[in-house]
Amino acid sequence: MKKDNTYFYGELTGNLGKVNYNLGSGMKILNVNDYTDSRTFVRNLTTATLQLQAGKNWSLRYNFNYTPSLPSLSQLSPIISQVDDITYSTGNPDLKPSELINNTIRADFQSGKFTASLSANYQHQFNPIISFTRYDNENNQFIYTRENGNYWNRIRIGGIFSYKKILNHFNISVTAYFNRFNTKGRDYDYQLNNFNSNLNIQAYFGKWYFGLGQCLAANKYLNGNNIGVGERMSQIYAQYKYRNLYFAAMWLCPFQNDGYKYETTHLSKVNPGYTVNWTKNNGNMVILSISYQANFGKSFKKNHKTLNNGSYDNGMVQ
């Protein structure tokens, strides 16, 4: 099978008063040829960015992306491969490219030691390529393949809030987002609401530095027939500096024997299930490190460097 990707793209950058803009658009051409059949997909690719410095402490930014996602060779291949005694996997030559529209509005605010970045995002995907399982009654087999759903979309609202130099020793940052997913296909129609949040705390006393990162609420996502739960990351960190030596210790996944853990719920009406993957070695893992900063190279005495330039021009002015 042969696959060719061709791109044509142009970009325009400038400003209108206080608004800076960046506009780009082009063409994406995909040709797939398995020497028995040839298919060509032509899709537009567009991006746009607008940025406004609204005031002394405020700035606004808008991003738009229209992005096609083309099927991979394996997703288009009709070849059937055996997974186990009753499960087989195959591609779908009739797959169509999916198309994602992504809109984001972000407002950044800073006042003294406090900063906030608020954002609202809406994504809508046409013809999403999703995993699909059907049952072959004649051969008593499950067939795992891909197909195009009707649509997938997500609304995401939230932000990052931080306060620095609390009592001249502490920094704190909180990330919080609300997500709403909708997805619809041939025999499914699902919705999912999720709130996810993370906390980061830093403390510094002289040559000592301490840090804490903790997942307060895990991120969930909905994609076709699957609901996934992201890892619940947590870590504690300490560092001491002695001249150019750095002594550090990190404790990953404290009190979590399973380490990093990922969960997936399969909502298929034919073959529902629940899958858990974890990296057990990361559970209660302690990492010790010693590093030395050598004062040479490009970074050495950077503020005291000078730059000597020279040029020559031989031309005519009329």
Side-chain angles (χ1 to χ4, degrees):
M1 183 176 284
K2 181 181 178 182
K3 180 178 179 180
D4 295 317
N5 259 317
T6 306
Y7 299 86
F8 301 95
Y9 193 78
E11 191 173 59
L12 178 65
T13 301
N15 62 79
L16 295 173
K18 295 183 179 181
V19 178
N20 298 320
Y21 64 85
N22 181 279
L23 307 174
S25 187
M27 194 71 68
K28 187 175 185 179
I29 305 173
L30 170 70
N31 177 262
V32 180
N33 190 339
D34 64 359
Y35 303 106
T36 60
D37 185 25
S38 178
R39 302 184 67 186
T40 300
F41 304 102
V42 179
R43 292 294 186 274
N44 174 254
L45 179 67
T46 298
T47 63
T49 301
L50 302 176
Q51 186 167 357
L52 169 66
Q53 188 67 37
K56 181 179 178 181
N57 300 325
W58 281 93
S59 67
L60 299 173
R61 185 182 182 93
Y62 170 73
N63 287 92
F64 170 85
N65 299 92
Y66 173 78
T67 309
S69 181
L70 305 176
S72 66
L73 290 175
S74 61
Q75 291 173 343
L76 291 169
S77 174
I79 297 175
I80 299 176
S81 59
Q82 186 172 358
V83 179
D84 53 42
D85 292 341
I86 60 171
T87 306
Y88 290 78
S89 177
T90 184
N92 182 357
D94 296 324
L95 282 178
K96 297 180 290 185
S98 63
E99 301 167 51
L100 177 66
I101 295 176
N102 186 4
N103 292 275
T104 303
I105 298 176
R106 194 183 79 190
D108 295 318
F109 173 78
Q110 180 175 1
S111 178
K113 301 177 182 179
F114 176 76
T115 61
S117 180
L118 307 174
S119 64
N121 171 261
Y122 177 72
Q123 297 182 5
H124 189 96
Q125 190 172 33
F126 302 94
N127 303 318
I129 299 174
I130 60 102
S131 60
F132 173 74
T133 303
R134 60 182 174 86
Y135 184 70
D136 185 348
N137 287 301
E138 183 177 348
N139 297 307
N140 192 29
Q141 297 170 349
F142 290 101
I143 308 297
Y144 174 84
T145 184
R146 302 277 182 167
E147 71 172 19
N148 290 109
N150 293 352
Y151 66 82
W152 171 94
N153 61 48
R154 183 188 73 173
I155 298 173
R156 180 179 174 90
I157 301 173
I160 303 173
F161 310 89
S162 62
Y163 201 93
K164 297 181 179 180
K165 297 183 180 180
I166 303 173
L167 302 177
N168 292 320
H169 290 291
F170 299 94
N171 299 331
I172 186 170
S173 175
V174 177
T175 303
Y177 286 98
F178 171 79
N179 300 277
R180 177 172 176 80
F181 297 87
N182 292 277
T183 183
K184 184 179 176 71
R186 178 172 53 167
D187 62 348
Y188 63 89
D189 186 357
Y190 300 118
Q191 293 80 39
L192 174 69
N193 295 328
N194 166 248
F195 174 80
N196 63 281
S197 180
N198 294 284
L199 170 68
N200 286 281
I201 300 176
Q202 301 170 346
Y204 43 93
F205 300 90
K207 297 181 179 181
W208 283 96
Y209 169 81
F210 303 93
L212 167 68
Q214 178 64 49
C215 174
L216 302 178
N219 184 42
K220 293 183 180 181
Y221 63 88
L222 172 65
N223 184 19
N225 290 313
N226 297 320
I227 296 177
V229 180
E231 60 188 32
R232 299 173 175 85
M233 292 189 61
S234 60
Q235 64 180 27
I236 299 173
Y237 182 84
Q239 177 182 279
Y240 177 77
K241 178 184 178 183
Y242 176 74
R243 295 183 179 178
N244 291 337
L245 276 173
Y246 294 83
F247 302 89
M250 180 182 293
W251 185 8
L252 294 177
C253 304
F255 311 111
Q256 299 177 24
N257 293 328
D258 289 337
Y260 294 141
K261 190 174 182 180
Y262 310 86
E263 305 171 50
T264 305
T265 302
H266 308 283
L267 304 175
S268 169
K269 296 180 180 179
V270 174
N271 187 25
Y274 175 72
T275 303
V276 180
N277 297 302
W278 63 89
T279 309
K280 193 174 181 65
N281 289 341
N282 287 338
N284 285 308
M285 176 182 285
V286 176
I287 302 174
L288 303 177
S289 66
I290 300 176
S291 60
Y292 179 81
Q293 180 177 335
N295 291 326
F296 63 88
K298 293 182 179 181
S299 64
F300 182 54
K301 294 185 178 180
K302 191 173 183 179
N303 295 332
H304 302 284
K305 288 186 177 181
T306 59
L307 183 66
N308 296 315
N309 286 339
S311 64
Y312 178 81
D313 182 32
N314 186 358
M316 179 180 294
V317 179
Q318 295 182 345

